Amino acid sequence: MADRQLKQFGHEFVSWIKAFPRNTPRYITERLPIIKWLPKYNPQWAFRDAVAGVTVALIVVPQGMSYAKIAGLEVQHGLYSAYIGAIFYCFMGTSKDLTIGPTAVISLITGELVTELAGRMSAPAVAAISCLCVGAFTMALGILRLGIILDFFPTTVLVGYTSGAAATIVIQQIPKWLGVPNINNREPVYHIIIKMFKAIATLSWLDLTFGIVSFIALIAIGLAVDRWGRGRFAIQFIKISRFFIVTVLATVLSFVVNHNPELNAKGDPIYKLSILKKVPSGLPHPQVPSVTSEIFSEIAPKLFAISLAVILEHIAIGKAFARKNRYQIDTNQELLALGLANVTASFFGAYAVTGSFSRSAVKFQCGVRSPFAGFVTGALVLLALFFLTPVFFYIPDAALSAVIMVAVSVLISPPSVFIQFYKVNLWDFLSSQVALWVTIFVSVETGIAAGVGFSLLVLLFRVARPNFHVLRQIKDRPDVFIDATLDNTFETVSAPHGVLVFRIEESTTFPNSEVFKTWVLDETYKYTRFGGHIKETSEKLWSDDMAVHVRNLRKIAHGPDSNVTDDDLPKLRAVVFDFSAVNSIDSTGLQGLFDLRDLLKDYAGVTDEPLTFFEVHFVGIQSSVLHVLEMSGITRPVAPIALQKVEVLDNGTDSSDEIISESADKKKSHNNNNNNVDVHNHTNIGSAAVSVLGGSPFLKEEGLVHLTVRDAVDSVLIRSQSWEKDHGPVGGKESDSGSIDKTDIHYV
């Protein structure tokens, strides 16, 4: 499967290169979706887009400044990121709801990087180089269409590390929210908590008042609107704009408190309340980010973590809103747009941007109709940078901390989400917990790596130790075979004597080849007896403990008090492999099948008695796997054979030799008439279809291929009947001299 997809990708890439000159206009149109939707823009959409754009701007201005503080940057850098992301996405995005800009999680990881390089690089320089590297990596994924790597990051890990990062941000903001001075919020969370309690006596009551009042106001507005404003947009708008409203009110009160500050001995003002102070207006001069190779190699893991967080957050949010609104987003185009936005932003004082869930949700609630709303948002942020920065001077730090805490609290998943993970799958729950707690107590990038690493280990374990099943037929539905240990709803009976049916629930590859072989042999030992020459004690090797191993296996299968001996079990005459769940097979898995076939032949007695009847049958093989098996020689190219053979043999008018010979003649004639016919296709005959390999009537080396388990079992019974006529009894019980009951055969 993977080989075919790789070849297809290579063919498409070569075709794209050859056709690039004449497809350049179309390529530009695809890369700039605004060229498609702008000519079709409906003027009636303008009002909704304007409302959405203005509303998001009212949110992103206070949020952008707050998140910049989390990143260890001055507040204006958050606004630089906000306007560039919003405007860029208007031109290149494929979602009407998504808005990109600074977010809490990315700000936290950027802040960790800024702290790590403090003293060696300035904070804006660190932010710029991280933004550039994240953008370049994301662009590369989009251009090369490698969005498939996102499939290796499960939702549980995303939920875990997002909740952990949000919880970390909340804890980091508590000291400023309470007005406790001189606390380094870049330290591990447990250090922050310990130091905060030690310094609690030094808190500023005025900061505490502003922080608590702002926090209560934000929560109260949200709860009140949820209770009394459902279905009324005018009231909902109050909740949507609450961050802006509370920030404005807190700034006005802060101005009143700090308007005429006292001066210290140096002549510097002493403000009663901790505030932002001076915020530069306008835009910075473009600068090219630069970093030494030594520092780059040091921070590469964290840059990779930021890139993953940016991509995962953006794509997850985009898909969520596309699913809710029933439209599609182009993942590769989203990666390209996100990457180009970050690369451009790195030259203008911004830090890494990605999709914002809260602001995207606001756009959706406002009834946004097109990406044009992002342009409105970006334009308003630019106006704020040029004309409102003097007002930002008096914004209280405690109020900004309250805004941050309330804004990121929605990212913390409630316990019910993790309980649901536990109910669905224990490993999913554990991966979410690993990502959650490692993020809180170590760092975000370590939490992502730990969660993803744990999930990949679980995935590898599932591949290496897949589920295996011994199938039994339902008593009232002999055409249906199930694993009775997993489903007790139906009464089942075992397959005919000496016939074992196995199913593997995974591709046969090098991690599971050996365990599959061992499991099949152990199950064979449990339910059948050895058909070859039993060695004398003097003939056995010194390390031969097979008798003890088989005895222990039979006690497990038949009960510890059972005295099952070889005389109580049938000889092995056929093994049926249900490969319907096998999507691929590699060289190790193929060699394992050869080894397993030889070991089963030895156990059936073929090595000691060459005329012993034993066959291997395959069921439900997918075309890609069948092709590999045929090339290897473990099967032969399939040819159709009619199920009417059952009735023919029952009447004694034909033999298996004649049937298969007739099938081979028909196949040859059919191929002569049409050389282009695919011999791998199965032919439907009546209500079922069977494909049997051409060649000798009793194949010692090649297996037989069927569409259903019932067909395979019927084939074994038919062929063993014919063998019995020609060579005597096959591997039945001793008590019935090896005869086969014809009632075992299922007539179609």
Side-chain angles (χ1 to χ4, degrees):
M1 181 69 70
D3 294 340
R4 186 168 68 250
Q5 292 175 345
L6 184 61
K7 291 178 181 178
Q8 182 179 358
F9 176 80
H11 177 72
E12 291 177 352
F13 181 75
V14 172
S15 301
W16 181 85
I17 292 295
K18 292 180 178 178
F20 180 76
R22 66 174 182 272
N23 290 337
T24 299
R26 181 174 61 85
Y27 181 79
I28 294 175
T29 302
E30 291 176 351
R31 300 289 75 85
L32 291 172
I34 192 173
I35 297 176
K36 291 182 179 180
W37 62 260
L38 188 58
K40 298 182 292 184
Y41 191 84
N42 190 334
Q44 296 179 354
W45 299 347
F47 176 74
R48 285 289 187 178
D49 287 345
V51 170
V54 171
T55 306
V56 172
L58 295 178
I59 297 173
V60 77
V61 169
Q63 276 191 356
M65 293 189 294
S66 303
Y67 292 159
K69 301 284 282 185
I70 296 175
L73 300 166
E74 295 180 354
V75 294
Q76 66 270 19
H77 293 279
L79 300 180
Y80 300 156
S81 301
Y83 89 83
I84 293 177
I87 292 177
F88 235 98
Y89 194 76
C90 171
F91 289 89
M92 299 188 66
T94 61
S95 170
K96 69 181 181 64
D97 301 287
L98 198 58
T99 180
I100 65 176
T103 63
V105 176
I106 305 306
S107 300
L108 177 62
I109 310 177
T110 303
E112 293 175 352
L113 186 61
V114 168
T115 303
E116 184 178 331
L117 296 179
R120 289 184 288 173
M121 292 181 66
S122 66
V126 175
I129 193 62
S130 69
C131 190
L132 177 62
C133 294
V134 167
F137 179 74
T138 308
M139 276 185 63
L141 292 184
I143 293 172
L144 298 177
R145 297 182 177 273
L146 295 178
I148 188 175
I149 69 169
L150 302 180
D151 297 338
F152 292 94
F153 298 89
T155 302
T156 53
V157 173
L158 180 64
V159 170
Y161 91 77
T162 302
S163 299
T168 301
I169 292 170
V170 169
I171 294 172
Q172 288 178 345
Q173 296 305 311
I174 291 177
K176 282 195 173 184
W177 177 58
L178 297 179
V180 180
N182 303 321
I183 300 294
N184 182 8
N185 63 357
R186 294 301 169 193
E187 293 184 343
V189 292
Y190 50 88
H191 285 172
I192 295 175
I193 295 173
I194 293 172
K195 291 183 178 181
M196 183 182 65
F197 278 109
K198 288 182 178 180
I200 196 72
T202 63
L203 64 80
S204 167
W205 289 100
L206 194 56
D207 284 307
L208 174 64
T209 302
F210 267 77
I212 291 179
V213 170
S214 299
F215 184 84
I216 293 175
L218 290 169
I219 297 297
I221 292 173
L223 293 176
V225 172
D226 287 342
R227 182 171 182 179
W228 292 295
R230 292 181 180 178
R232 288 180 283 184
F233 179 77
I235 298 179
Q236 287 288 334
F237 186 78
I238 298 175
K239 178 183 177 181
I240 293 171
S241 307
R242 58 181 169 159
F243 296 112
F244 179 80
I245 295 171
V246 170
T247 302
V248 169
L249 293 176
T251 303
V252 171
L253 292 175
S254 173
F255 174 78
V256 173
V257 171
N258 289 315
H259 183 52
N260 293 311
E262 297 180 358
L263 302 179
N264 61 15
K266 296 181 180 180
D268 296 327
I270 302 175
Y271 297 104
K272 299 177 182 179
L273 184 67
S274 177
I275 56 178
L276 285 183
K277 300 179 183 177
K278 186 176 181 179
V279 177
S281 63
L283 299 177
H285 295 291
Q287 292 183 345
V288 178
S290 61
V291 65
T292 64
S293 58
E294 180 182 355
I295 293 180
F296 179 80
S297 60
E298 180 183 341
I299 65 175
K302 197 173 290 288
L303 292 176
F304 183 67
I306 299 176
S307 301
L308 291 181
V310 164
I311 295 170
L312 291 173
E313 192 171 349
H314 183 87
I315 297 301
I317 294 170
K319 287 184 175 180
F321 282 100
R323 187 165 52 248
K324 181 177 291 188
N325 292 280
R326 297 181 180 178
Y327 63 85
Q328 296 290 327
I329 64 170
D330 184 340
T331 301
N332 293 308
Q333 173 63 19
E334 289 293 316
L335 292 177
L336 183 62
L338 186 62
L340 196 55
N342 276 291
V343 168
T344 305
S346 68
F347 297 98
F348 295 94
Y351 67 98
V353 297
T354 188
S356 167
F357 179 80
S358 60
R359 298 193 294 273
S360 298
V362 167
K363 285 179 69 176
F364 169 73
Q365 292 171 356
C366 292
V368 66
R369 293 292 184 265
S370 75
F372 181 72
F375 185 85
V376 176
T377 298
L380 291 176
V381 174
L382 278 173
L383 290 176
L385 275 168
F386 278 98
F387 301 108
L388 296 181
T389 50
V391 179
F392 298 160
F393 185 95
Y394 289 101
I395 295 178
D397 285 332
L400 273 185
S401 294
V403 168
I404 293 171
M405 293 169 66
V406 175
V408 304
S409 63
V410 298
L411 300 178
I412 302 177
S413 299
S416 59
V417 172
F418 298 102
I419 293 173
Q420 182 66 25
F421 289 158
Y422 177 79
K423 291 179 178 179
V424 172
N425 188 287
L426 175 61
W427 296 114
D428 287 346
F429 170 76
L430 292 177
S431 66
S432 69
Q433 295 304 296
V434 168
L436 171 67
W437 297 109
V438 173
T439 297
I440 292 176
F441 288 104
V442 184
S443 65
V444 177
E445 76 274 10
T446 307
I448 295 174
V452 172
F454 180 84
S455 299
L456 291 179
L457 286 177
V458 172
L459 177 63
L460 290 175
F461 179 79
R462 287 171 175 167
V463 173
R465 296 295 182 269
N467 293 322
F468 305 118
H469 306 284
V470 178
L471 303 185
R472 295 164 58 90
Q473 62 187 36
I474 298 177
K475 186 175 182 180
D476 298 328
R477 289 285 306 277
D479 58 322
V480 179
F481 285 72
I482 64 172
D483 185 346
T485 61
L486 300 180
D487 189 350
N488 297 322
T489 307
F490 303 98
E491 183 180 357
T492 61
V493 295
S494 60
H497 294 309
V499 180
L500 297 176
V501 183
F502 301 120
R503 174 185 292 160
I504 177 175
E505 297 288 349
E506 186 55 72
S507 295
T508 308
T509 53
F510 68 92
N512 59 40
S513 176
E514 190 64 30
V515 71
F516 176 59
K517 180 173 66 176
T518 302
W519 178 83
V520 168
L521 291 174
D522 286 347
E523 294 300 315
T524 303
Y525 300 153
K526 291 178 184 178
Y527 301 109
T528 61
R529 73 169 187 266
F530 180 60
H533 170 67
I534 300 177
K535 296 180 181 179
E536 300 293 339
T537 303
S538 59
E539 297 177 312
K540 294 182 179 180
L541 297 175
W542 63 273
S543 59
D544 189 351
D545 60 350
M546 179 59 70
V548 177
H549 178 64
V550 171
R551 185 163 59 249
N552 292 334
L553 288 173
R554 289 174 180 172
K555 286 183 178 181
I556 294 173
H558 303 283
D561 299 328
S562 62
N563 294 315
V564 177
T565 64
D566 280 350
D567 293 338
D568 301 316
L569 298 174
K571 289 183 179 180
L572 179 67
R573 51 176 163 157
V575 170
V576 178
F577 292 117
D578 183 350
F579 268 30
S580 56
V582 177
N583 294 316
S584 64
I585 184 169
D586 64 6
S587 299
T588 306
L590 187 60
Q591 183 60 51
L593 280 182
F594 276 102
D595 296 342
L596 180 58
R597 181 198 61 186
D598 293 340
L599 291 170
L600 291 172
K601 285 169 58 180
D602 290 341
Y603 187 76
V606 176
T607 303
D608 297 329
E609 296 292 339
L611 294 180
T612 301
F613 178 87
F614 173 74
E615 291 181 342
V616 175
H617 294 243
F618 294 94
V619 170
I621 303 180
Q622 301 188 35
S623 59
S624 58
V625 178
L626 179 59
H627 177 65
V628 174
L629 297 183
E630 289 176 353
M631 287 195 305
S632 69
I634 200 169
T635 65
R636 289 186 181 179
V638 297
I641 182 170
L643 285 181
Q644 281 81 354
K645 62 185 179 183
V646 180
E647 298 179 359
V648 172
L649 285 175
D650 187 46
N651 294 330
T653 59
D654 207 338
S655 69
S656 178
D657 300 273
E658 294 170 342
I659 290 172
I660 296 180
S661 177
E662 179 184 355
S663 173
D665 291 340
K666 289 181 179 179
K667 174 189 171 185
K668 181 177 180 181
S669 174
H670 181 67
N671 288 341
N672 287 337
N673 292 334
N674 187 356
N675 292 328
N676 295 324
V677 173
D678 184 0
V679 298
H680 301 296
N681 292 336
H682 301 288
T683 302
N684 289 323
I685 303 173
S687 61
V690 173
S691 295
V692 179
L693 304 183
S696 72
F698 300 103
L699 303 170
K700 297 301 180 186
E701 302 298 332
E702 298 85 4
L704 291 87
V705 181
H706 308 267
L707 293 183
T708 68
V709 175
R710 183 70 258 174
D711 297 338
V713 173
D714 285 349
S715 177
V716 171
L717 299 177
I718 295 165
R719 295 164 67 82
S720 59
Q721 274 189 355
S722 181
W723 178 276
E724 183 177 356
K725 290 179 182 178
D726 296 338
H727 301 87
V730 297
K733 288 185 178 180
E734 289 282 330
S735 57
D736 60 12
S737 300
S739 62
I740 300 171
D741 189 351
K742 292 183 180 180
T743 59
D744 284 337
I745 302 179
H746 172 66
Y747 294 89
V748 179

